[in-house]
Amino acid sequence: MKKLDHIAIAVPDLAVAVAQYRTALGVTISAPQELPEHGVRIVFVKLQNATIELMEPFGDSSPIASFLERNPAGGIHHFCLGDPEFETTLTQVKDSGARALGEPKIGAHGNPVMFLHPKDFQGTLIELEKVSE
Ligand code: CO
């Protein structure tokens, strides 16, 4: 069965966001991690049943830069489904006529990930991540 893996929130300043989440919400937050291939620097906010990722642009051509231009205060950017049947689901997505964005890449957890076009999914960017059962 698929599971909610994480919700990713684009923020204009990661250090400010981390301080606020820690102070105001009292949550546990990982050390920052730079993902040059994805153009983001991220932290994980660990919750009991899911993870929230806070991410800021990293490098010159970050894919979240234009999102932050439209949403300067930050906002929910995508959610991620952990999927043990990753390849099957990708085939279903394509057969349904929906678009995947590019080719699978290795994501923040070391697993293949694929993004699905928000215009084909009710205006929401969905990340599919290959996970074991
Ligand atoms: Co993600």
Side-chain angles (χ1 to χ4, degrees):
M1 191 186 284
K2 296 169 181 52
K3 63 166 190 165
L4 176 63
D5 187 84
H6 62 267
I7 296 167
I9 299 173
V11 302
D13 186 321
L14 192 59
V16 169
V18 165
Q20 185 195 36
Y21 269 63
R22 255 193 204 124
T23 306
L25 300 175
V27 289
T28 303
I29 303 179
S30 74
Q33 191 177 329
E34 288 169 358
L35 301 175
E37 201 191 341
H38 296 275
V40 291
R41 180 186 288 117
I42 66 172
V43 296
F44 299 112
V45 180
K46 280 288 179 193
L47 306 177
Q48 194 175 54
N49 60 344
T51 300
I52 294 172
E53 285 179 20
L54 304 177
M55 52 184 194
E56 72 177 357
F58 179 71
D60 293 332
S61 58
S62 173
I64 67 169
S66 60
F67 179 89
L68 283 168
E69 273 167 30
R70 295 193 305 276
N71 305 276
I76 294 177
H77 184 264
H78 67 267
F79 74 87
C80 175
L81 287 178
D83 189 352
E85 297 175 326
F86 180 78
E87 287 85 3
T88 306
T89 304
L90 277 185
T91 303
Q92 284 177 354
V93 165
K94 287 171 186 165
D95 287 350
S96 79
R99 289 165 285 177
L101 297 169
E103 294 299 319
K105 287 183 182 173
I106 298 301
H109 308 106
N111 301 327
V113 300
M114 188 76 165
F115 285 90
L116 309 181
H117 203 302
K119 287 196 172 143
D120 297 339
F121 285 95
Q122 322 301 318
T124 300
L125 180 62
I126 300 176
E127 178 182 19
L128 269 188
E129 177 177 3
K130 182 174 180 171
V131 297
S132 46
E133 284 295 341

